[in-house]
Amino acid sequence: MARIVVKFGGTSVANVERIRNAARHIKREVEAGNEVAVVVSAMSGKTNELVGWVNEASKFHDAREYDAVVASGEQVTAGLMAIVLSEMGIQSRSFAGWQVPIHTDDSHGAARITDIDPTELDKRMSDGWVPVITGFQGISPHGRVTTLGRGGSDTSAVAVAAAVKADRCDIYTDVDGVYTTDPRIVPKAQRMTKISFEEMLEMASLGAKVLMIRSVEMAMAHKVRLTVRSSFDDPDAPQIAPDGTPGVPGTLVCDEDEIMEQQIVSGVTLAKAEAKITLRKVKDSPGVAAAIFGTLADKGIIVDMIVQNIADDGATTDITFTVPDSEYDKAVKALEDNGGRFEYARLSGSKGGAKVSVVGVGMRSHAGVASSMFKALADKGINIQLITTSEIKTSVLIDEEYAELAVRALHTYYGLDRQDA
Ligand code: ADP
Ligand code: ASP
Ligand code: MG
């Protein structure tokens, strides 16, 4: 017997028929003698619709009311799932975040889970009940409903798994695992049988939305055994792990030492809609970068890649960085109206960039990944605008027009294409 937390994403609960199918996966686990808790997302498209309504009501809405509205999608699916499970003869009830309770800080729209009280869930699970918990939401110290940021149900699931000391957390989605790159862009992408927490963290932060980054951080910190699998697999089929033994189908996210064979590059990711801003002739003295990025941080604008040149005149320098396209106008305005915090000669920028990255723990011990990446892009005539690296990734900013071409070219170049495709 095991204790399992299962999570179903938006497409897996898109309508009552799909909820019924998801419930059959839960039934299989219950009938195998396991204790199960369920975390659900809103039906696919629902959260976007709710966000749209909030923006239509007012562009300058109160973030607390935004959360009150957008958290509602998960409540619908939690209730429907509990109804369907009960109809199948499984004792079940829904829990909204505040009913668990799932405590968060008060950063509305991007709240962090601070603590989950496991008492009620523990008791229900031990008594053979299947609690169905709304993903994506919690309650702030002031008693207000909060949401965790887009894709946040993954984080809810891992946090619940850690709180109830689950043996594993299964993320059911619309792909059957984590792939070497987004399988919707590269049909030759391969499913990985295992991926290390570190690589999954980088891939999630660089655009692979299959898992929310915070969920991976949390799984790593709390040693939660995390698998990604498809809800569209036949719920009654034998459960076979990728190595052919009985177990969980899909991709296991685990510690690096559990993985025998390491590639130099394990995956390629893509993040579109990145805007680039350059400030020319910024004073080259201590405190200037802090003033520029402090101005943006004060407006809640998240900056991604940053490049600063050396001062060739000994007095001024150029700074270039990226922000999401959606934040571009706000960022330009904040920099222009900086209230004398810093000076520059000229501001230029453009929307429509794409960040393409290669990720792999093997980069730690192999030189030349960056140069081979640049060569592979040059061979396709793709111009690189910015470059950033970390221990296990290299990212470039390119024109969005070439994004898919670049991902496909790098995927092939690093030998990641499926041979039978
Ligand atoms: P859910 O609604 O179940 O949370 P998401 O849409 O958030 O599902 O995430 C699943 C999607 O992530 C897939 O449909 C796929 O297009 C995309 N994706 C991006 N990169 C990858 C990758 N490397 N491996 C698998 N899926 C990926
Ligand atoms: N429903 C939320 C969203 O669409 C949370 C999630 O699906 O993970 O972002
Ligand atoms: Mg998701």
Side-chain angles (χ1 to χ4, degrees), residues 7 9-10 41-42 47-48 74 136 149-154:
K7 176 253 171 179
S41 290
T47 309
N48 286 345
E74 271 67 13
F136 184 50
R150 300 307 304 271
S153 297
D154 298 329

Side-chain angles (χ1 to χ4, degrees), residues 282-294 317 319 341-343:
V282 176
K283 210 159 141 212
D284 188 25
S285 61
V288 174
I292 293 170
F293 295 108
T317 178
I319 294 184
R341 286 171 82 176
F342 55 89
E343 289 174 357

Side-chain angles (χ1 to χ4, degrees), residues 159-177:
V160 168
V164 301
K165 301 194 168 48
D167 298 294
R168 44 173 235 262
C169 179
D170 298 344
I171 306 284
Y172 286 79
T173 182
D174 55 4
V175 280
D176 61 0

Side-chain angles (χ1 to χ4, degrees), residues 53-257:
W53 288 345
V54 173
N55 287 327
E56 192 185 329
S58 166
K59 272 197 166 165
F60 307 102
H61 50 258
D62 184 327
R64 292 167 295 191
E65 302 308 347
Y66 166 99
D67 277 352
V69 176
V70 303
S72 66
E74 271 67 13
Q75 201 167 318
V76 173
T77 36
L80 290 172
M81 179 64 91
I83 293 172
V84 167
L85 285 169
S86 303
E87 203 193 42
M88 287 179 172
I90 296 168
Q91 283 187 303
S92 179
R93 69 151 274 195
S94 64
F95 284 87
W98 64 269
Q99 291 172 320
V100 173
I102 297 177
H103 295 288
T104 71
D105 63 15
D106 61 2
S107 311
H108 286 273
R112 286 172 82 92
I113 296 175
T114 49
D115 170 60
I116 295 182
D117 182 347
T119 319
E120 178 70 14
L121 297 180
D122 246 340
K123 184 170 175 316
R124 295 276 176 178
M125 290 172 87
S126 311
D127 291 349
W129 280 67
V130 173
V132 183
I133 303 140
T134 51
F136 184 50
Q137 55 168 270
I139 180 171
S140 79
H142 309 290
R144 302 292 305 255
V145 171
T146 52
T147 63
L148 311 180
R150 300 307 304 271
S153 297
D154 298 329
T155 304
S156 309
V158 175
V160 168
V164 301
K165 301 194 168 48
D167 298 294
R168 44 173 235 262
C169 179
D170 298 344
I171 306 284
Y172 286 79
T173 182
D174 55 4
V175 280
D176 61 0
V178 179
Y179 279 68
T180 45
T181 192
D182 189 339
R184 290 182 209 286
I185 299 176
V186 182
K188 288 181 190 167
Q190 296 188 60
R191 190 182 65 179
M192 301 181 201
T193 55
K194 290 180 180 177
I195 179 170
S196 69
F197 284 120
E198 286 87 349
E199 286 170 323
M200 193 63 241
L201 265 183
E202 287 284 9
M203 286 187 63
S205 74
L206 295 168
K209 71 164 185 166
V210 60
L211 286 175
M212 192 205 205
I213 178 166
R214 184 88 188 97
S215 70
V216 186
E217 275 170 11
M218 205 176 272
M220 192 170 164
H222 296 276
K223 302 209 175 306
V224 173
R225 231 176 149 69
L226 188 62
T227 58
V228 176
R229 56 177 296 177
S230 173
S231 68
F232 300 127
D233 287 348
D234 176 4
D236 302 320
Q239 298 295 291
I240 307 289
D243 66 3
T245 61
V248 188
T251 302
L252 175 69
V253 190
C254 59
D255 277 329
E256 210 175 308
D257 4 309

Side-chain angles (χ1 to χ4, degrees), residues 1 31 34 51 226 240 244 258 275 277 279 307 356 382 402:
M1 189 199 81
E31 285 177 348
N34 299 313
V51 170
L226 188 62
I240 307 289
E258 275 192 60
I277 298 176
L279 294 176
V307 176
V356 177
I382 299 170
Y402 301 108

